[in-house]
């Protein structure tokens, strides 16, 4: 079959895989190929055991795979055949050298730019899908235009706003698609071409076009705003615990103001995920590099508050369990950074586990999807004196335990038989609800000592 255009995506991760699957499903006249240096990942995309867990993803992949959606490892061949290349490689925080711990590590991204130059023999549109520092497109253009082949690469920014756990839903019904381009004829034409892909299923008024720098910066700012709401309500949760106010009631009262809105106001043990912290630190780094220290400090406080909240949660556990957790069996209920994903990158669970292991607790980690990742994350905590067990079944995990700490808001945890769990635990039994998803009064009546976030604790101690 002759396709209208060949799309290539470099990077078959949480963004590249689902995004391209949806594009292929919605645009049968485009051939969509996804490539990655990680051959195992590609192999998994070609089976029904996909490398990432996302509700609804397998159906979308199966609807297009082998028809106009292909997963491959031959990056050079993919580049040669492509008219449009989405770059969706990872852009983690730099861990070395200048800007370590703050700036984006752009080595994977730059490598792809060189590969594109090396293997291209005709002009192409290059789409930045990865989240990148503002003005990265300029650097990409410089690398790409260095070619001696007389070919032109038009760089477009199309940041991704999907959230894990709802990626397919978000991709099928996005609040907006953002496309930034040079405001030249070639730039606007390229932006129009990318808009044409999304127009297959996204209403025209939801496709926003801007200049390149606005698109790049909007992505960092959107994540910073979302994270800021969480840090704001988490800061309030600490105040609630001192004053007797209830953070849930405050979220409802404040979020009922239509100017504020109710979403992203759930107090928690802190935000996790691969992007919020990384993108805010990147924003901080960029601001400082322009000498905007007040701007940098402002955003940095969002990350500091998040660290405080995670630390506060651990301190509460230790304090309420009589200042020692040595040898105590404590269940981490959930380990993923949020529900409906197996992803544990930057999960608050990692911090909580490390700290409790340092305190020599005996941990049991339970999660329906994230145990493989949890094992990898905690393997690095070698030398911590505590021990870790991994148990997918929450009932078995809780047997003989002294405390449960809710880390992830999995729906299944709301429906557990806590009477049965309580009966199998050592007494006094504690629950620390890091997500405020459980019925605290009911747990208290069962016999638990209950510590929600941002609400008074309920204890049976006189
Ligand atoms: P990821 O680590 O899951 O996937 C990136 C993939 O790129 C990896 O499989 C890696 O092997 C591959 N890769 C790296 N260098 C390569 C190269 N030179 N050639 C071929 N493949 C290469 O990352 P992700 O979560 O999909 O994130 C990708 C980008 O999208 C990041 O910039 C991130 O900030 C952004 N983003 C992520 C999310 C999310 O929910 N995870 C949402 C929006 C935006
Ligand atoms: C987030 C953004 O929501 C996406 O728009 C963005 O594309 C993505 O980052 C990215 O750039 O990677 P994601 O991190 O997948 O998506 O998930 P979120 O739903 O935003 O949750 C992030 C963290 O905040 C989770 O740990 C979650 O539990 C926590 N959270 C969220 C709260 O603690 N309280 C809330 O009210 C909402």
């Amino acid at each position: 079959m002759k396709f209208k255009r060949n799309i290539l995506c470099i990077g078959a991760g949480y963004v590249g895989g689902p995004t391209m699957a949806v594009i292929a499903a919605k645009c049968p006249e485009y051939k969509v190929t996804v490539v990655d240096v990680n051959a195992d990942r590609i192999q998994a995309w070609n089976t029904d055991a996909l490398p990432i867990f996302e509700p609804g993803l397998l159906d979308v992949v199966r609807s297009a795979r082998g028809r106009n959606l292909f997963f491959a490892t031959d990056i050079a061949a993919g580049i040669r055949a492509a008219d449009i290349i989405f770059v969706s490689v990872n852009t983690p925080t730099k861990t070395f050298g200048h800007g370590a711990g703050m700036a984006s590590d752009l080595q994977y991204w730059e490598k792809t730019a060189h590969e594109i130059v090396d293997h291209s023999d005709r002009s192409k549109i290059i789409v930045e899908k990865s989240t990148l520092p503002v003005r990265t497109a300029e650097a990409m253009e410089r690398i790409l235009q260095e070619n001696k082949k007389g070919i032109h690469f038009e760089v477009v920014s199309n940041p991704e706003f999907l959230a894990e756990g709802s990626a397919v839903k978000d991709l099928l019904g996005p609040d907006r698609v953002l496309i930034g381009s040079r405001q030249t004829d070639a730039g606007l034409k390229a932006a129009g071409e990318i808009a044409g892909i999304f127009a297959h299923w996204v209403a025209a008024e939801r496709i926003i076009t801007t200049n390149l720098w606005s698109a790049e910066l909007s992505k960092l700012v959107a994540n910073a705003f979302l994270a800021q709401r969480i840090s704001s309500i988490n800061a309030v949760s600490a105040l609630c615990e001192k004053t007797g106010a209830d953070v849930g009631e405050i979220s409802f009262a404040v979020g009922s103001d239509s100017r504020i809105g109710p979403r992203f106001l759930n107090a928690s043990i802190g935000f996790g995920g691969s992007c919020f912290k990384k993108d805010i630190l990147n924003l901080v780094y960029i601001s400082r590099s322009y000498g905007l220290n007040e701007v940098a400090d402002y955003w940095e406080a969002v990350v500091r508050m998040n660290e405080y909240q995670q630390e506060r949660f651990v301190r509460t556990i230790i304090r309420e369990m009589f200042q020692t957790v040595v040898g105590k069996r404590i269940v981490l209920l959930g380990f993923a950074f949020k529900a409906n994903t197996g992803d544990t990158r930057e999960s608050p669970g990692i911090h909580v586990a490390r700290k409790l292991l340092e305190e020599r607790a005996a941990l049991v980690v339970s999660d329906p999807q994230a145990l493989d990742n949890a094992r990898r994350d905690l393997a690095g905590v070698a030398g911590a004196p505590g021990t870790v067990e991994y148990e997918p079944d929450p009932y078995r995990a809780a047997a003989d335990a002294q405390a449960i700490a809710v880390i992830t808001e999995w729906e299944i945890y709301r429906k557990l038989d806590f009477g049965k769990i309580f009966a199998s635990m050592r007494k006094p039994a504690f629950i620390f609800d890091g997500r405020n998803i459980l019925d605290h009064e009911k747990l208290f009546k069962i016999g638990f000592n209950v510590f929600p976030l941002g609400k008074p604790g309920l204890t049976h101690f006189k």
Side-chain angles (χ1 to χ4, degrees), residues 13 19 46 54 60 64 87 129 140 191 205 259 312 342 418 432 456:
T19 310
N46 280 318
E54 273 297 337
V60 180
V87 181
K129 195 58 157 164
M140 190 155 215
E205 63 274 16
R259 293 168 303 175
R312 218 165 66 74
F418 280 99
F432 301 91

Side-chain angles (χ1 to χ4, degrees), residues 5-26:
R5 284 267 188 277
N6 281 337
I7 295 178
L8 177 74
C9 177
I10 303 180
Y14 286 88
V15 169
T19 310
M20 292 303 125
V22 167
I23 289 180
K26 292 292 181 185

